[in-house]
């Protein structure tokens, strides 16, 4: 059985065909331009591929409440052409298959719990640190939505005393994304993150913020594993720095077996940057069996 998978991102649209075991049989991508330019290319890609369902992990904010009149819409995105856009509706009309729809980061956490390093766990947090910061939450065996869906990349932060950077988020200034996403690193330090790889101060400060966010997640969701992905997390030296920061901030307040072994608790994504698209395959598969 074949499923279509779309990882809809702000810069590119990754399209793939996969089977029920998460194997990616074909994959391509298109740049994210206006809907009128990009949507026909995506539809055309899936049209003759005999897919049984389509799963979409989408940049947001989006409406994932099936009872809402704007279910399946991309809502208040700063990308004008995609604002208030009925993406699920347009695919339904043209492809006529069940469609699973969730945030890109919920897609990634679903990929990891279904096919990756978080198999058999029922409470997992996935954080991507890239152009923005996004957080997907799998809680008690389900993707967390609530009122909208978590927007925890915008959690408010305690700024380190010596950090004079005001933060890049247009809404909050010094939220996690405003302080720690790739563009914030570049603006604060004056070079692209990848070019700063030997500057220890950069990663020490980065770990200060990511470790703070993770400590909050530990106390709020009590996750069994925390997975970090996205371009910035390719800097593997961050992992030990982040684990040290979490250990220091927790100050032995809680002492679980997971926290005693942070090397297997705070981990890189395990699916070679395919966690999002593999999660989208699973979203499609779920939609097929639930016929939505
Ligand atoms: P997106 O978030 O747009 O899907 P990425 O996850 O690749 O894409 O994130 C892009 C951001 O990550 C950019 O700000 C870029 O500077 C940064 N980045 C990409 N690759 C690396 C790397 N190897 N090391 C450090 N930063 C990186
Ligand atoms: Zn913000």
């Amino acid at each position: 059985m074949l499923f279509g998978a779309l990882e809809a991102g702000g810069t590119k649209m990754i399209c793939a065909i996969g089977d029920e075991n998460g194997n990616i049989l074909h994959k391509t991508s298109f740049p994210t331009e206006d809907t009128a330019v990009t949507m026909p290319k995506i539809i055309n890609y899936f049209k003759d591929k005999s897919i049984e369902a389509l799963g979409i992990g989408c940049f947001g904010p989006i409406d994932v409440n099936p009872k809402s009149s704007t279910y399946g819409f991309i809502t208040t995105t700063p990308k004008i052409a995609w604002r208030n856009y009925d993406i699920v509706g347009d695919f339904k009309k043209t492809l006529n298959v069940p469609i699973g729809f969730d945030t890109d980061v919920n897609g990634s956490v679903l990929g990891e719990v279904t096919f990756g390093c978080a198999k058999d766990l029922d409470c997992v947090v996935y954080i991507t640190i890239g152009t923005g910061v996004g957080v997907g939450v799998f809680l008690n065996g389900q993707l967390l939505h609530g009122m909208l869906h978590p927007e925890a990349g915008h959690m408010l932060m305690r700024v380190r005393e010596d950090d004079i950077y005001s933060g890049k988020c247009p809404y909050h200034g010094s939220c996690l994304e405003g302080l720690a996403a790739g563009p914030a690193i570049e603006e604060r330090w004056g070079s692209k993150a990848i070019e700063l790889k030997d500057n220890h101060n950069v990663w020490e400060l980065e770990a200060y913020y990511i470790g703070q966010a993770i400590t909050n997640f530990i106390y709020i969701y009590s996750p069994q594993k925390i997975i970090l992905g996205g371009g910035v997390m390719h800097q593997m030296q961050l992992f030990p720095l982040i684990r040290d920061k979490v250990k220091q901030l927790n100050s032995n307040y809680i002492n679980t077996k997971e926290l005693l072994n942070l090397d297997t608790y705070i981990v890189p994504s395990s699916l070679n940057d395919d966690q999002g698209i593999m999660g989208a395959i699973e979203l499609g598969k779920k939609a097929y069996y639930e016929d939505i």
Side-chain angles (χ1 to χ4, degrees), residues 154 169 171-172 175:
H154 292 270
C169 177
Y171 299 94
H172 318 107
C175 64

Side-chain angles (χ1 to χ4, degrees), residues 11 130-132 182-183 193-194 230-232 234-235:
T11 48
T131 305
I194 193 163
V232 172
H234 287 145
Q235 296 298 319

